[in-house]
Amino acid sequence: MTFKSAYFKLTLFYVLIVMIISAGFSVSIYQLASNELNRSLSQQILILRNLPGRDQNQPIPDFEELRLEQLIESNGHLKITLVYFNLLILILSTIASYFSAKKTLEPIEKAMEAQNRFTADASHELRTPLAALRTEIEVNLRDKKLNLNKSKALLKSNLEEIEKLETLSGALLKLARSQDDAQKNFQKVSLEDAVCEAYEKVDKLAAKKKIKFENKLKDVSVLGDRASLVELFIILLDNAIKYSPEKSKIAIEIKKEKNLALVKIKDRGCGISTDDLPFIFDRFYRADSSRCKVKTDGYGLGLSIAKQIIDLHDGKISVRSEDSEGSEFIVKLFHAKL
Ligand code: ADP
């Protein structure tokens, strides 16, 4: 509804500008043409009066009246032509303005829709742990036999929900973080160092699942925000570990190809189905986890944060995946020249 009235207002605004210009031109054209006609009539009369044998001050009644009528008629024609011309401009400019307004407002409407969807999804995700917290607390408060052990169990469960809320709000904050600020901190970053730093953050999880890493790391540098790049590799490595079975292998490769730096992270986990592949970088998108046989609790925000980081660095991220053959995420960034 708001956008419909915005389309209408913008169309009206465009039409108004075009009509002011067109009306201005029309008035000027009318004045110029009518002055010109007046001038040529006066000249004709002057020439006729100056003919030999004529008295200069004596008017030529029939001729002058006729020419005056012709002049008034011509002015009238000109006025009507200009009115028709302005009507045509009004119709054409209304059509053109409507399409221009649509073209101007469409990206804004889409961005607003995406923002609204995001807010609705975020509120929905925030409500679930909050509702669980509330129910648990209410049930326990009503329990007359609530003892120390039960209270401790309640607090432990509350803490888990709070941790979930912290993870979610942290992810939301990362998504909202100003891109300009990160761009200001661009410096030469060694991808090998960034991957190793990310690896240190997830190696406990890998050790728990007895996952082995096969690394082929080359020292390639890019121009970027170090903290964001570490975050990107944490997300990709964390996913690779999460969606891999125990005792499997994950391969990390860093290499240089022409002016690009490539980081490939390949797991031998459950893979991503072709139906899910186009959506995995969307906010809050989670593929059907039953296929994976691994229970994970995420919010479907990791890969959208990864995509945001890649966009910040003008890079590309792609994924190759075959069902139950594992997935390979490929990050492409422009390498920094020495
Ligand atoms: P989540 O918090 O659910 O992991 P992500 O945005 O990181 O959110 O990932 C979105 C979805 O993409 C996941 O729910 C999962 O289904 C799929 N996915 C991401 N990485 C992998 C992977 N390495 N192997 C299999 N599936 C993956």
Side-chain angles (χ1 to χ4, degrees):
M1 195 64 208
T2 8
F3 264 91
K4 270 206 179 127
S5 80
Y7 280 141
F8 179 70
K9 277 186 198 155
L10 198 60
T11 306
L12 210 71
F13 180 66
Y14 285 158
V15 172
L16 200 74
I17 292 175
V18 174
M19 287 322 294
I20 288 174
I21 296 171
S22 170
F25 268 119
S26 302
V27 170
S28 314
I29 287 171
Y30 178 76
Q31 260 164 5
L32 277 175
S34 107
N35 285 349
E36 194 54 36
L37 283 171
N38 268 333
R39 206 172 55 86
S40 73
L41 175 68
S42 317
Q43 268 176 353
Q44 275 179 1
I45 292 171
L46 216 68
I47 290 166
L48 285 174
R49 281 190 192 176
N50 280 338
L51 280 176
R54 278 207 60 87
D55 178 0
Q56 260 190 30
N57 298 320
Q58 197 64 36
I60 319 164
D62 288 351
F63 174 77
E64 286 185 23
E65 255 170 51
L66 184 78
R67 288 300 287 135
L68 204 67
E69 272 171 29
Q70 277 179 344
L71 182 71
I72 294 166
E73 205 177 312
S74 299
N75 277 343
H77 276 159
L78 186 63
K79 252 189 222 162
I80 292 171
T81 312
L82 286 173
V83 168
Y84 279 136
F85 172 74
N86 274 281
L87 274 177
L88 185 74
I89 295 277
L90 179 70
I91 295 167
L92 292 180
S93 69
T94 308
I95 297 169
S97 300
Y98 176 74
F99 285 108
S100 308
K102 221 168 143 62
K103 222 174 155 53
T104 314
L105 291 176
E106 229 163 39
I108 304 171
E109 189 178 9
K110 277 199 184 127
M112 243 180 93
E113 267 171 22
Q115 188 68 36
N116 288 344
R117 218 177 313 123
F118 176 66
T119 314
D121 287 343
S123 321
H124 176 78
E125 295 292 348
L126 282 167
R127 265 219 324 246
T128 317
L130 282 174
L133 263 174
R134 189 190 175 97
T135 320
E136 273 180 347
I137 294 170
E138 278 177 353
V139 167
N140 278 279
L141 278 178
R142 266 189 250 121
D143 183 358
K144 292 204 175 76
K145 292 177 203 142
L146 185 72
N147 54 29
L148 191 64
N149 280 348
K150 270 191 179 172
S151 305
K152 276 193 174 166
L154 167 72
L155 287 175
K156 216 174 138 204
S157 165
N158 284 173
L159 211 60
E160 277 169 20
E161 297 302 337
I162 289 168
E163 272 164 15
K164 280 186 198 165
L165 280 170
E166 271 176 356
T167 314
L168 178 57
S169 59
L172 291 175
L173 253 167
K174 271 174 210 152
L175 276 172
R177 205 164 42 198
S178 162
Q179 307 239 331
D180 296 342
D181 286 350
Q183 225 150 12
K184 274 184 216 138
N185 295 330
F186 269 22
Q187 48 173 289
K188 210 168 139 197
V189 182
S190 149
L191 286 179
E192 191 181 5
D193 290 352
V195 167
C196 288
E197 197 176 322
Y199 172 78
E200 277 163 26
K201 296 266 166 28
V202 294
D203 70 337
K204 276 201 188 86
L205 191 64
K208 223 164 140 187
K209 289 180 90 171
K210 298 191 180 78
I211 288 173
K212 287 233 162 68
F213 280 86
E214 294 166 339
N215 300 336
K216 267 198 241 165
L217 309 184
K218 256 198 171 164
D219 192 18
V220 186
S221 295
V222 295
L223 209 62
D225 178 51
R226 189 188 162 91
S228 304
L229 289 172
V230 172
E231 178 73 40
L232 163 74
F233 298 125
I234 291 177
I235 293 168
L236 296 180
L237 289 174
D238 184 57
N239 275 349
I241 298 166
K242 265 193 321 196
Y243 297 105
S244 285
E246 286 198 3
K247 293 182 187 158
S248 61
K249 283 179 185 159
I250 293 173
I252 311 175
E253 189 183 358
I254 301 177
K255 63 175 186 176
K256 208 161 102 175
E257 251 180 37
K258 290 181 190 158
N259 59 341
L260 292 178
L262 264 66
V263 183
K264 297 181 177 183
I265 297 176
K266 183 172 169 53
D267 63 61
R268 297 191 183 134
C270 57
I272 305 164
S273 78
T274 39
D275 290 345
D276 290 318
L277 271 178
F279 307 108
I280 54 166
F281 293 99
D282 290 355
R283 290 171 178 185
F284 294 107
Y285 188 83
R286 304 205 69 212
D288 180 13
S289 59
S290 59
R291 205 174 46 84
C292 255
K293 289 184 205 128
V294 277
K295 174 136 180 34
T296 60
D297 40 26
Y299 292 99
L301 288 176
L303 287 181
S304 40
I305 296 173
K307 177 81 175 57
Q308 189 164 303
I309 296 169
I310 291 287
D311 289 345
L312 176 75
H313 290 83
D314 286 329
K316 283 216 162 70
I317 184 164
S318 56
V319 54
R320 262 191 245 148
S321 182
E322 310 235 334
D323 264 349
S324 42
E325 288 266 322
S327 320
E328 183 177 35
F329 282 83
I330 303 158
V331 169
K332 285 182 188 167
L333 298 163
F334 289 105
H335 82 77
K337 291 187 181 71
L338 289 170

